[in-house]
Amino acid sequence: MGSLPTESLSVEEHQQQQVEMDDTSRTERARWLLNSPDPPSIWHELAGSIREAFFPRNKLSSSSRVKQTWRRSAFSFLRGLFPILNWGRNYKASKFKSDLMAGLTLASLSIPQSIGYANLAKLDPQYGLYTSVIPPLIYALMGSSREIAIGPVAVVSMLLSALMQNVQDPAADPVAYRKLVFTVTFFAGVFQSVFGLFRLGFLVDFLSHAAIVGFMAGAAIVIGLQQLKGLLGISHFTNKTDVVSVLGSVFSSLHHSYWYPLNFVLGCSFLIFLLIARFIGRRNKKLFWLPAIAPLLSVILSTLIVYLTKADKHGVKIVKHIKGGLNPSSAHQLQLTGPHLGQTAKIGLISAVVALTEAIAVGRSFASIKGYHLDGNKEMVAMGFMNIAGSLTSCYVATGSFSRTAVNFSAGCQTVVSNIVMAITVLLSLELFTSLLYYTPIAILASIILSALPGLIDINEAINIYKVDKLDFLACIGAFLGVLFASVEIGLLAAVTISFAKILLNAVRPGIELQGRLPRTDTYGDISQFPMAIKTPGILTIRINSALFCFANANFIRERIMRWVTEEQDELEETTKRTIQAVIIDMSNLMNIDTSGILVLEELHKKLASNGIELVMASPRWQVIHKLKSAKLLDRIGKGCVYLSVAEAMEACLASKFAALSNC
Amino acid sequence: MGSLPTESLSVEEHQQQQVEMDDTSRTERARWLLNSPDPPSIWHELAGSIREAFFPRNKLSSSSRVKQTWRRSAFSFLRGLFPILNWGRNYKASKFKSDLMAGLTLASLSIPQSIGYANLAKLDPQYGLYTSVIPPLIYALMGSSREIAIGPVAVVSMLLSALMQNVQDPAADPVAYRKLVFTVTFFAGVFQSVFGLFRLGFLVDFLSHAAIVGFMAGAAIVIGLQQLKGLLGISHFTNKTDVVSVLGSVFSSLHHSYWYPLNFVLGCSFLIFLLIARFIGRRNKKLFWLPAIAPLLSVILSTLIVYLTKADKHGVKIVKHIKGGLNPSSAHQLQLTGPHLGQTAKIGLISAVVALTEAIAVGRSFASIKGYHLDGNKEMVAMGFMNIAGSLTSCYVATGSFSRTAVNFSAGCQTVVSNIVMAITVLLSLELFTSLLYYTPIAILASIILSALPGLIDINEAINIYKVDKLDFLACIGAFLGVLFASVEIGLLAAVTISFAKILLNAVRPGIELQGRLPRTDTYGDISQFPMAIKTPGILTIRINSALFCFANANFIRERIMRWVTEEQDELEETTKRTIQAVIIDMSNLMNIDTSGILVLEELHKKLASNGIELVMASPRWQVIHKLKSAKLLDRIGKGCVYLSVAEAMEACLASKFAALSNC
């Protein structure tokens, strides 16, 4: 390339020209940076995110770019809202066979669990069954997960009763308590659908994975301890959920003999049966149906035993009357005015978030096994509508259950039709068989709940979290201990606080590192990460490892840089009697800078300049360059101090050094 | 370099060898990354930061590495605590001359301001004067700023009275109020010294520059409005500080004629005089002494006028008796037990932070003019001790004043001796001249305070903030409006909340960008920032622009990456009927990853792999590599997918592509 004219030049002239060419292209490349287009303004970004919230981009239209008619777009909107319109047309008899079997298996697990969880939520048993009817049907229309099993779950049931007790005592006035539960369910549904419609799905992410692991384990232990009431047949039991109160209550009951050993014998025998079934099911995947039908089997067997032996006369507590029939309307029972509105809305919000967290975690993990994508926001809308519908038909907060979803999956469900089958089966049993459950012992419900709890405690994952990230483990253990020893709310609060403190800590004390060139490359790396990195004497290369250069860390960064400069200066003076010539700040990590950051940068420039040290900025980003320009800092420092990369900044510094030396 | 053996090879063989060599060095360089030493564990870092808090590195010893004897190190510790031991030995008579002049000028401004600010803090005038005696003397021993003028300031005085009124009404029981003020001062001192001793200086940074600008402006307006009481001679005035209450109170007083016009005439005349003096002083830097002595002049003149005309008989409110003499002890007045302890501690904390913010901002800006360094933590210790000493000698919270520091600087102060001169002068006037101030009209004090306020309102800076950073401006205007329309606390809270919301928003919605190669370089840049960047078809290069890949943003990042992959896939299929081959994730910005992030990364890998797309990681950092290793993710994905830089990852992808093509 143009080798002819250079041949007539001497070697020195050639080198000179080379240096100049390098220089020109370097400044040209720096100009790319300096003249890069303005980033979108904050108003633009705000408008964009609002547009995206209300008119989410339709993947179909954006990819194939078909101009849609009004009718087409209405239909595609409906299909977005009701995924059943998509897959329903291709639904085949073979799939239905699988779904039917899965649905029946699911129902056999669902009926005893629903009764047990209703008990946990301090509601009459039929409300648990109601919750296994309407919400699954609504979800089947609107949801897009194929495996999730909808209905009442242990953690949300416990959460509801734990939080609601402070507002209304269920023992004192069960009707008022029930009304408030429906109201909470309504609010939970409203919050969930609002989260989904406004694409606020990220709010659910605020409960980190580690926090959920800790919270679930704590909740499982708390739920398990509460089952001691049913298992021991204790009459007077504490309303609190923390370990100390519950154990205190149990011991004082045992001490005063307010309990009936027969309950315990019956409950424990069936608990052992359930745990053995569970163990066999886990060992042999083909026998997955054994743990799934074991609860129903236990209910039938124990009911028969109690009926035949008349054990209820000897202190065995029984379920007694369960009101059968279709879900009654509860629309008129919602308490949307009155003194408890604020509290019910708050409890609704907490239940909404916890329920969504569980459902989305369940849905995603099974979707990723089957290799399809689950849109979190759409799921939230579906969950929201199903809970609003539930609150109008005597249901309490429903969500996706860990244990039943696993059963559904193992039973080979193909689509959400298995939920429909399950709902219809539950409905039929509500119509036909509730009177048969009269003699079902409460201890059995307790043992069914207890047998489902080990699935919520994931010790391996906790150990894993400890190994990988100590701060994550702190959030995990905070949630766990909070739930265990204080209350559910405090556990959740501890988890969220610790998680966010981690983010803030990172912003307040950002990493900042001295860099050196990696041998045989143009790449610069942290000298502590790469011991082989080579430092250039007289030129400090510093990288700021924070997304923001802002009020919270600007002074820290300034002081750290100044300390390194003085240390390097001292060292240089001792060894070579030379001084530092330039400080290159690698800004490639900085996403943004605020006014405090700009002030500090200007101060740094002044301070370094007064010591004859040049401040050079390498690869500042879009927004940073824009801010430096609008603060007119570049005009004051000089635009020549900005380079595209650390390597180019270093070359320029070395070139000017040689120029200075040769001028001497 | 080994050119001999290659000459015998054919060109193709040579190229082949070249490729292999590149490959080897690439994997070798990737091994640098994979085998980089483990980062310091969290326990190690914790221990390090604790060590640094209690045994800060002594610059002298670290730089010259002199083995210190016990006595030497004790002396250097003392010199660190009392900088006066350093500069005192070189103090010369010429410096003292400058300091004497500056100190006298300062005292002439200090006396009227102190009386005015004591009035603002709802204390008797002498307490303002006391606060200008002991704290400056203590600071002179321990502080390292040379220009700062210590004493009572407007914002802290207003803050104190605004917050304390909710605890104890100063009109109802002035003695109890005063006791609580001393207690607050004690707590403020304790908090300040604890911040300094434990190197918690960054806590002061939580009030961002923008928030301070807004808060100061709001406070200035609130203070100004409160001066209407003195200026109009109103008897019944509201205790609230918000604009609406104050203006309401003023209008109702004007309406009911509870005010005395003579006060207003007197106050306004001198206000105009003070403002003119201020204006002249700002125009002509040599006349800096004019605005500095104008307040004292006004006091003397107005006192004479009132004395001669007996205006106090005609409704002009006067200061009346000021108790003279040396600061009395107030050690026995501290209320360290009793019902108000929590509230006084809280107010102490707020005053401590606000006072430090002002002092450090003032100190730093003048230190940077004179080109010396101010250690924030040492300053805090000095401020803390001076306030603790103040609380024991009838002073309230003192700090560095904006306006007086500027006067001190203009008057040519050389060292903190000017503060000593000022304190002694104030002490002498307390001993000798307080009886002369009997007839000083209160309206004059109001006009002195009013004339100092414009310096607190920095409209240019607010405009500048708006231009540079809209979110910063939001914090600024939030603080401003909060102080103006709600209360001082709400203003501060709004500012801190908005500032932190910005940091969290950044973590929750991180930038994530598609990159392209910049022409004629190995550098990759954001394709929206650099329109000239070249994309490689079939290989997506994505950079995550967040310091943390964590629970708060992991799902967002996954969804964005998957959306880009499907979009790119659709586009590729339309144009070239080819598929995406690899996704390179540039991790150079990621400082850390948590368990949620690792889960998402694994999910991404699985999902991409199921579509035949390779996931490649470029330049993950120290901690990230360590976490990926301890989570055993690298074992599952394969260590071959990690490269030192995007350029090397791209080369490797292209090489494997060509290999695949040539195998076909």
Side-chain angles (χ1 to χ4, degrees):
Chain A
M1 301 156 187
S3 61
L4 214 88
T6 53
E7 263 175 75
S8 57
L9 298 168
S10 73
V11 174
E12 272 179 29
E13 277 172 323
H14 179 93
Q15 278 182 344
Q16 182 62 29
Q17 209 189 40
Q18 192 64 37
V19 166
E20 274 169 20
M21 249 182 66
D22 268 14
D23 260 16
T24 350
S25 51
R26 208 152 54 212
T27 45
E28 190 207 317
R29 285 195 292 268
R31 220 173 294 132
W32 292 347
L33 201 64
L34 288 167
N35 300 337
S36 59
D38 282 351
S41 78
I42 193 161
W43 314 122
H44 189 89
E45 278 187 14
L46 216 65
S49 66
I50 290 173
R51 198 166 47 237
E52 200 169 322
F54 288 96
F55 311 101
R57 255 194 287 178
N58 194 323
K59 266 184 198 166
L60 198 106
S61 72
S62 80
S63 66
S64 59
R65 296 193 183 83
V66 178
K67 209 178 182 183
Q68 294 190 334
T69 61
W70 181 86
R71 186 183 280 183
R72 262 186 97 103
S73 68
F75 186 65
S76 91
F77 173 77
L78 275 180
R79 283 202 302 184
L81 206 57
F82 300 105
I84 198 170
L85 297 174
N86 280 325
W87 57 262
R89 292 186 296 183
N90 306 320
Y91 196 68
K92 291 186 198 116
S94 64
K95 279 190 180 174
F96 181 67
K97 212 181 126 194
S98 310
D99 283 335
L100 182 67
M101 286 312 298
L104 290 176
T105 319
L106 202 53
S108 78
L109 180 58
S110 226
I111 293 169
Q113 276 197 349
S114 298
I115 297 174
Y117 294 155
N119 192 23
L120 196 57
K122 308 213 186 252
L123 291 167
D124 290 337
Q126 64 268 27
Y127 292 100
L129 293 173
Y130 293 157
T131 308
S132 284
V133 176
I134 297 294
L137 290 176
I138 305 285
Y139 183 83
L141 296 177
M142 300 183 69
S144 42
S145 165
R146 296 174 206 155
E147 292 81 20
I148 207 167
I150 298 291
V153 301
V155 172
V156 175
S157 304
M158 189 272 290
L159 186 79
L160 262 184
S161 66
L163 297 178
M164 289 296 296
Q165 273 171 170
N166 307 327
V167 184
Q168 170 72 52
D169 184 7
D173 187 349
V175 178
Y177 176 77
R178 205 154 58 222
K179 282 182 180 173
L180 289 179
V181 169
F182 294 148
T183 315
V184 166
T185 307
F186 178 76
F187 277 119
V190 170
F191 280 119
Q192 289 175 335
S193 38
V194 165
F195 287 175
L197 289 172
F198 289 83
R199 309 185 83 70
L200 300 174
F202 67 90
L203 287 178
V204 173
D205 295 338
F206 284 3
L207 277 178
S208 65
H209 169 70
I212 294 170
V213 169
F215 176 73
M216 286 291 174
I221 293 178
V222 165
I223 292 169
L225 286 173
Q226 295 223 309
Q227 298 319 308
L228 290 178
K229 182 191 177 190
L231 211 55
L232 296 172
I234 296 170
S235 326
H236 301 290
F237 204 71
T238 177
N239 276 335
K240 291 190 181 157
T241 58
D242 62 300
V243 172
V244 178
S245 314
V246 170
L247 285 184
S249 183
V250 168
F251 283 119
S252 91
S253 297
L254 292 181
H255 189 70
H256 295 98
S257 309
Y258 290 146
W259 66 294
Y260 301 93
L262 260 186
N263 286 295
F264 187 67
V265 172
L266 202 67
C268 278
S269 330
F270 280 99
L271 180 58
I272 290 166
F273 166 63
L274 288 167
L275 290 177
I276 290 173
R278 191 184 141 87
F279 182 75
I280 294 175
R282 289 184 72 147
R283 272 302 177 84
N284 189 341
K285 292 284 173 203
K286 281 186 187 161
L287 296 175
F288 70 89
W289 51 267
L290 190 63
I293 64 156
L296 192 63
L297 221 62
S298 312
V299 167
I300 295 171
L301 269 176
S302 63
T303 310
L304 268 177
I305 292 171
V306 172
Y307 178 72
L308 295 176
T309 62
K310 296 208 170 66
D312 56 312
K313 301 276 186 285
H314 302 89
V316 170
K317 304 219 162 180
I318 55 174
V319 168
K320 294 191 180 156
H321 184 62
I322 297 182
K323 194 172 159 290
L326 187 67
N327 289 27
S329 161
S330 60
H332 56 284
Q333 296 190 38
L334 296 185
Q335 307 276 306
L336 296 180
T337 52
H340 300 312
L341 192 68
Q343 276 173 301
T344 46
K346 194 190 105 191
I347 298 173
L349 179 64
I350 298 176
S351 331
V353 171
V354 173
L356 281 180
T357 308
E358 183 164 354
I360 289 178
V362 173
R364 276 206 180 125
S365 61
F366 284 95
S368 95
I369 292 175
K370 286 227 181 154
Y372 67 94
H373 178 73
L374 211 57
D375 181 339
N377 290 312
K378 271 189 191 164
E379 282 297 278
M380 287 186 199
V381 175
M383 298 269 162
F385 277 95
M386 103 190 169
N387 276 322
I388 293 175
S391 73
L392 303 174
T393 54
S394 303
C395 305
Y396 73 95
V397 183
T399 186
S401 149
F402 266 119
S403 56
R404 296 203 297 279
T405 305
V407 166
N408 196 19
F409 176 77
S410 315
C413 72
Q414 294 292 318
T415 64
V416 84
V417 168
S418 65
N419 266 300
I420 302 180
V421 172
M422 185 266 290
I424 292 172
T425 316
V426 175
L427 185 60
L428 287 177
S429 28
L430 264 171
E431 288 284 356
L432 306 174
F433 308 124
T434 48
S435 50
L436 299 183
L437 295 173
Y438 188 92
Y439 286 102
T440 305
I442 285 177
I444 293 303
L445 298 182
S447 55
I448 289 171
I449 293 176
L450 276 171
S451 72
L453 295 180
L456 294 178
I457 303 177
D458 196 344
I459 294 177
N460 287 333
E461 187 58 31
I463 293 172
N464 203 16
I465 290 168
Y466 177 77
K467 276 190 197 151
V468 174
D469 194 327
K470 303 290 179 286
L471 281 176
D472 253 19
F473 184 70
L474 193 67
C476 173
I477 210 77
F480 179 73
L481 294 179
V483 172
L484 222 51
F485 290 103
S487 71
V488 177
E489 285 156 298
I490 288 179
L492 283 173
L493 201 67
V496 173
T497 312
I498 295 172
S499 305
F500 277 99
K502 199 176 72 172
I503 294 183
L504 288 182
L505 190 71
N506 198 69
V508 170
R509 282 279 171 274
I512 170 163
E513 64 192 26
L514 275 175
Q515 291 193 318
R517 193 170 54 78
L518 299 184
R520 282 167 294 140
T521 65
D522 262 353
T523 312
Y524 283 73
D526 184 355
I527 53 169
S528 15
Q529 183 179 7
F530 300 102
M532 71 291 288
I534 305 154
K535 280 165 73 177
T536 312
I539 299 179
L540 274 184
T541 314
I542 292 170
R543 171 136 93 160
I544 301 169
N545 289 333
S546 165
L548 292 174
F549 189 3
C550 66
F551 69 98
N553 56 28
N555 281 319
F556 174 78
I557 292 173
R558 188 214 9 228
E559 273 168 30
R560 184 55 64 92
I561 291 179
M562 285 314 297
R563 200 165 84 193
W564 276 336
V565 169
T566 39
E567 279 176 13
E568 177 80 10
Q569 187 84 55
D570 290 347
E571 207 168 300
L572 263 185
E573 272 172 15
E574 259 179 53
T575 51
T576 62
K577 308 277 171 204
R578 290 239 292 278
T579 55
I580 299 184
Q581 193 215 349
V583 172
I584 300 174
I585 299 185
D586 181 357
M587 294 193 161
S588 54
N589 279 358
L590 279 186
M591 285 307 109
N592 221 327
I593 189 168
D594 73 351
T595 43
S596 306
I598 290 174
L599 276 183
V600 160
L601 212 54
E602 187 163 10
E603 257 181 78
L604 260 180
H605 164 70
K606 273 190 199 160
K607 215 171 249 179
L608 290 176
S610 72
N611 290 321
I613 303 170
E614 205 183 342
L615 180 75
V616 176
M617 290 180 257
S619 61
R621 312 297 304 272
W622 222 13
Q623 284 89 341
V624 175
I625 273 284
H626 179 70
K627 294 253 165 98
L628 294 181
K629 273 194 226 164
S630 48
K632 305 218 165 31
L633 186 65
L634 281 186
D635 300 342
R636 272 169 284 168
I637 298 189
K639 287 189 179 170
C641 69
V642 177
Y643 293 95
L644 190 65
S645 67
V646 177
E648 300 206 342
M650 183 61 88
E651 270 174 37
C653 287
L654 288 175
S656 75
K657 191 174 175 178
F658 284 126
L661 282 179
S662 61
N663 281 345
C664 287
Chain B
M1 300 153 187
S3 60
L4 213 91
T6 52
E7 265 176 73
S8 57
L9 298 168
S10 72
V11 174
E12 272 179 27
E13 278 171 324
H14 180 92
Q15 279 182 342
Q16 183 61 28
Q17 210 188 40
Q18 192 65 37
V19 166
E20 273 168 22
M21 251 182 64
D22 269 15
D23 261 15
T24 351
S25 50
R26 208 152 54 212
T27 46
E28 189 207 318
R29 284 195 293 268
R31 218 172 296 132
W32 292 347
L33 201 63
L34 288 167
N35 301 337
S36 58
D38 282 352
S41 78
I42 193 162
W43 314 121
H44 190 89
E45 277 187 15
L46 216 64
S49 65
I50 289 172
R51 198 167 45 237
E52 198 168 324
F54 288 97
F55 311 102
R57 256 194 285 178
N58 194 323
K59 265 182 197 166
L60 200 103
S61 73
S62 80
S63 66
S64 60
R65 295 192 183 82
V66 179
K67 209 177 180 181
Q68 294 190 334
T69 61
W70 181 87
R71 188 183 278 184
R72 262 186 98 104
S73 66
F75 187 63
S76 93
F77 172 78
L78 276 179
R79 280 202 304 184
L81 205 57
F82 301 105
I84 197 169
L85 296 174
N86 280 325
W87 56 262
R89 291 184 296 181
N90 307 320
Y91 195 69
K92 291 184 198 118
S94 63
K95 278 190 181 175
F96 181 68
K97 211 181 128 195
S98 310
D99 283 335
L100 182 67
M101 287 312 298
L104 291 176
T105 319
L106 201 54
S108 78
L109 179 58
S110 223
I111 293 169
Q113 277 197 349
S114 299
I115 298 174
Y117 295 153
N119 193 23
L120 195 57
K122 309 214 184 248
L123 291 166
D124 291 337
Q126 64 268 27
Y127 293 100
L129 293 172
Y130 293 157
T131 307
S132 286
V133 176
I134 298 294
L137 289 176
I138 305 286
Y139 184 84
L141 297 177
M142 301 182 69
S144 42
S145 166
R146 297 175 205 154
E147 292 82 21
I148 208 166
I150 299 290
V153 303
V155 172
V156 174
S157 304
M158 190 273 290
L159 186 79
L160 262 185
S161 65
L163 297 179
M164 289 296 297
Q165 274 172 170
N166 307 326
V167 184
Q168 171 71 51
D169 184 8
D173 188 349
V175 178
Y177 175 79
R178 204 156 56 223
K179 282 182 179 172
L180 290 178
V181 168
F182 294 148
T183 315
V184 166
T185 306
F186 178 75
F187 277 120
V190 170
F191 280 119
Q192 289 174 336
S193 39
V194 165
F195 287 174
L197 288 173
F198 289 84
R199 308 186 83 70
L200 300 173
F202 68 91
L203 287 177
V204 172
D205 293 340
F206 284 2
L207 278 177
S208 65
H209 170 70
I212 294 169
V213 169
F215 176 74
M216 286 291 175
I221 293 179
V222 165
I223 293 169
L225 287 172
Q226 295 222 310
Q227 299 319 308
L228 290 178
K229 183 189 175 192
L231 210 56
L232 296 171
I234 297 171
S235 327
H236 301 291
F237 204 71
T238 177
N239 276 336
K240 291 189 180 160
T241 57
D242 62 301
V243 172
V244 178
S245 312
V246 171
L247 285 184
S249 183
V250 168
F251 282 119
S252 91
S253 297
L254 291 183
H255 189 69
H256 294 98
S257 307
Y258 289 148
W259 67 294
Y260 301 94
L262 260 186
N263 286 295
F264 187 67
V265 172
L266 202 66
C268 277
S269 331
F270 279 99
L271 180 58
I272 291 166
F273 165 63
L274 288 166
L275 291 177
I276 290 174
R278 192 183 141 87
F279 181 76
I280 294 174
R282 290 184 70 148
R283 273 303 178 81
N284 189 341
K285 293 285 174 201
K286 281 185 188 164
L287 296 175
F288 71 88
W289 50 267
L290 191 62
I293 64 154
L296 193 63
L297 222 62
S298 312
V299 168
I300 296 171
L301 269 177
S302 63
T303 309
L304 268 179
I305 291 171
V306 172
Y307 179 70
L308 295 177
T309 62
K310 296 205 169 69
D312 56 313
K313 299 274 187 287
H314 301 90
V316 170
K317 305 217 162 181
I318 54 174
V319 168
K320 295 189 180 156
H321 183 64
I322 297 182
K323 193 173 162 291
L326 187 65
N327 290 25
S329 161
S330 60
H332 56 285
Q333 297 190 36
L334 296 186
Q335 307 277 304
L336 295 180
T337 53
H340 300 311
L341 190 68
Q343 276 172 300
T344 45
K346 194 189 102 190
I347 298 173
L349 179 63
I350 298 175
S351 331
V353 171
V354 172
L356 281 181
T357 309
E358 183 164 351
I360 288 177
V362 172
R364 276 206 180 125
S365 60
F366 284 95
S368 95
I369 292 174
K370 285 227 182 154
Y372 66 94
H373 178 74
L374 211 56
D375 182 338
N377 289 313
K378 271 188 192 162
E379 283 296 279
M380 287 185 198
V381 175
M383 298 269 162
F385 277 95
M386 105 192 168
N387 277 321
I388 293 175
S391 73
L392 303 173
T393 53
S394 302
C395 306
Y396 70 97
V397 184
T399 186
S401 149
F402 266 118
S403 54
R404 295 203 296 281
T405 305
V407 165
N408 196 20
F409 177 76
S410 315
C413 73
Q414 294 291 320
T415 65
V416 83
V417 168
S418 65
N419 266 301
I420 301 180
V421 172
M422 186 266 291
I424 292 172
T425 316
V426 174
L427 186 61
L428 287 178
S429 25
L430 263 169
E431 289 283 356
L432 307 174
F433 309 123
T434 48
S435 50
L436 299 183
L437 296 172
Y438 188 92
Y439 287 102
T440 305
I442 285 177
I444 293 301
L445 299 181
S447 55
I448 288 171
I449 293 176
L450 276 171
S451 70
L453 295 180
L456 294 178
I457 304 176
D458 196 342
I459 294 177
N460 286 332
E461 188 57 30
I463 293 173
N464 204 14
I465 290 169
Y466 178 78
K467 276 189 196 151
V468 173
D469 194 328
K470 304 291 179 285
L471 280 175
D472 254 17
F473 184 70
L474 193 67
C476 173
I477 210 79
F480 179 73
L481 294 179
V483 172
L484 222 51
F485 290 103
S487 70
V488 177
E489 286 157 296
I490 289 179
L492 284 173
L493 201 67
V496 173
T497 311
I498 295 172
S499 304
F500 277 100
K502 200 176 74 172
I503 294 182
L504 289 182
L505 191 72
N506 197 68
V508 171
R509 283 276 170 274
I512 171 165
E513 64 190 26
L514 275 175
Q515 290 194 318
R517 193 171 54 77
L518 299 183
R520 281 168 293 142
T521 66
D522 262 354
T523 312
Y524 283 72
D526 184 356
I527 52 170
S528 15
Q529 183 179 6
F530 299 101
M532 71 292 287
I534 306 155
K535 280 165 72 178
T536 313
I539 299 178
L540 273 183
T541 314
I542 293 172
R543 173 138 92 159
I544 301 169
N545 289 332
S546 165
L548 292 173
F549 189 3
C550 67
F551 69 97
N553 56 30
N555 281 317
F556 174 77
I557 291 173
R558 190 220 358 236
E559 275 169 29
R560 184 55 64 91
I561 291 179
M562 286 314 296
R563 201 165 84 193
W564 275 338
V565 169
T566 39
E567 277 176 14
E568 178 78 10
Q569 186 84 55
D570 290 348
E571 206 168 301
L572 263 185
E573 273 173 14
E574 259 179 53
T575 52
T576 62
K577 308 278 172 205
R578 292 240 292 279
T579 55
I580 298 185
Q581 193 215 348
V583 172
I584 300 173
I585 299 185
D586 181 356
M587 294 194 162
S588 54
N589 279 357
L590 279 186
M591 283 309 108
N592 221 327
I593 188 166
D594 72 353
T595 43
S596 306
I598 290 174
L599 277 182
V600 160
L601 212 55
E602 187 163 11
E603 257 182 76
L604 259 180
H605 165 69
K606 273 190 197 161
K607 216 172 248 177
L608 290 176
S610 71
N611 291 319
I613 302 171
E614 205 183 344
L615 180 74
V616 176
M617 290 181 257
S619 61
R621 311 299 304 273
W622 222 14
Q623 283 89 343
V624 175
I625 273 286
H626 180 69
K627 294 254 164 99
L628 294 181
K629 273 194 226 162
S630 47
K632 305 217 166 33
L633 187 66
L634 281 186
D635 299 342
R636 272 168 284 168
I637 299 190
K639 286 189 179 171
C641 68
V642 177
Y643 292 95
L644 190 66
S645 67
V646 178
E648 300 208 342
M650 182 62 86
E651 269 173 40
C653 288
L654 289 175
S656 75
K657 192 174 174 179
F658 284 126
L661 282 180
S662 61
N663 282 345
C664 288

